Amino acid sequence: MTRTRFSLRRLFAAGLTVAATAAAALAVTAAPAAAATTAGVDVSHYQGTINWTSVRNAGVEFAFIKATEGSSYKDPNFNTNYVNAYNAGVIRGAYHFARPNVSSGASQAGYLASNGGAWSADSRTLPAALDVEANPYSGGTCYGLSTTAMRNWIQDFLNTYRSRTGRYAVIYTTTSWWNQCTGSWTGPWANHPLWLARWASAPGTLPAGASVWSFWQYTATGSVSGISGNVDRNYWNGTRARLVALANNT
């Protein structure tokens, strides 16, 4: 994801054990063992020009691609990445980096939906993801919001995205941030797929109320043919066929 967030998530993950951190680093060449999982990446303009055919040929089945941040920023490489990933046979989804202290959840969900985060039943387009995590800018880890205000902001975003697209957004977060900043809110997990961020050899404890992870970002220092430098690596918790079913809402 973005270079700013890469540094932030390293700080946020500092509570992991030395062994878990080492395991995450080893995931560059040896991904954590997992049954019936599907390989993926997430990218932004920081990955530069991507050869999506090479990425797909390397066994990557899906990608979340940064589309927007706040209510005024669109990733400059989004359009190219989104189209080229689709054409290479990669199941793609957009993601939005939340800025809860900048504008309302409804405003940011609308901005996402109007700038690449819409959805179509074409077997290769996932519902977009709301990336909500520790604040990399000024304003505190929880963006200066109380747990109630944070819940309301997230719900506002989720409701608006669903009204615009007909889909339940994916939620990207860490267990520690979610439990701290939403007060261990359990509300979204009945409908919204969890995209868990934890750089380790196992997913570990999930956010309060979540019974299963759908996506898991297990390292930020992965390596994939077609992408220069480090890239976030992910799993989908199931087969490609099940991922296509999520894409098509079937």
Side-chain angles (χ1 to χ4, degrees):
M1 296 183 181
T2 70
R3 196 166 296 163
T4 299
R5 294 172 51 217
F6 177 81
S7 175
L8 172 73
R9 291 201 312 272
R10 281 206 178 281
L11 292 173
F12 205 75
L16 297 176
T17 64
V18 172
T21 303
L26 287 173
V28 174
T29 54
T37 53
T38 302
V41 297
D42 61 86
V43 302
S44 72
H45 71 278
Y46 284 112
Q47 274 66 51
T49 300
I50 296 174
N51 184 324
W52 284 100
T53 298
S54 294
V55 171
R56 180 68 186 90
N57 289 342
V60 170
E61 307 265 11
F62 72 91
F64 279 104
I65 300 168
K66 184 170 185 180
T68 50
E69 178 172 327
S71 52
S72 60
Y73 176 83
K74 182 173 181 177
D75 189 283
N77 288 12
F78 173 75
N79 288 348
T80 298
N81 281 330
Y82 208 57
V83 171
N84 289 349
Y86 178 96
N87 289 339
V90 175
I91 301 169
R92 83 278 167 86
Y95 78 83
H96 172 83
F97 185 74
R99 300 283 304 277
N101 57 349
V102 169
S103 55
S104 69
S107 172
Q108 294 190 32
Y111 186 69
L112 168 65
S114 296
N115 287 277
W119 173 78
S120 57
D122 54 21
S123 298
R124 294 187 199 169
T125 302
L126 295 167
L130 169 63
D131 176 352
V132 59
E133 58 177 279
N135 182 9
Y137 307 109
S138 61
T141 297
C142 300
Y143 298 85
L145 274 62
S146 67
T147 56
T148 297
M150 184 63 74
R151 292 184 189 190
N152 290 340
W153 190 96
I154 294 170
Q155 192 65 68
D156 195 26
F157 183 101
L158 298 176
N159 288 345
T160 301
Y161 184 78
R162 179 158 169 76
S163 71
R164 287 286 304 269
T165 67
R167 297 303 308 271
Y168 292 107
V170 175
I171 300 174
Y172 169 99
T173 196
T174 67
T175 296
S176 54
W177 185 91
W178 184 268
N179 290 347
Q180 175 187 349
C181 295
T182 73
S184 297
W185 185 33
T186 63
W189 307 125
N191 296 307
H192 297 273
L194 167 63
W195 179 7
L196 179 71
R198 184 174 190 261
W199 304 339
S201 58
T205 302
L206 303 183
S211 60
V212 65
W213 58 271
S214 295
F215 299 93
W216 169 29
Q217 183 191 78
Y218 63 86
T219 184
T221 56
S223 177
V224 175
S225 177
I227 300 177
S228 299
N230 291 337
V231 64
D232 296 338
R233 293 302 307 265
N234 298 268
Y235 281 131
W236 156 251
N237 195 3
T239 64
R240 181 181 172 94
R242 292 307 307 155
L243 187 59
V244 170
L246 174 64
N248 286 337
N249 201 25
T250 57

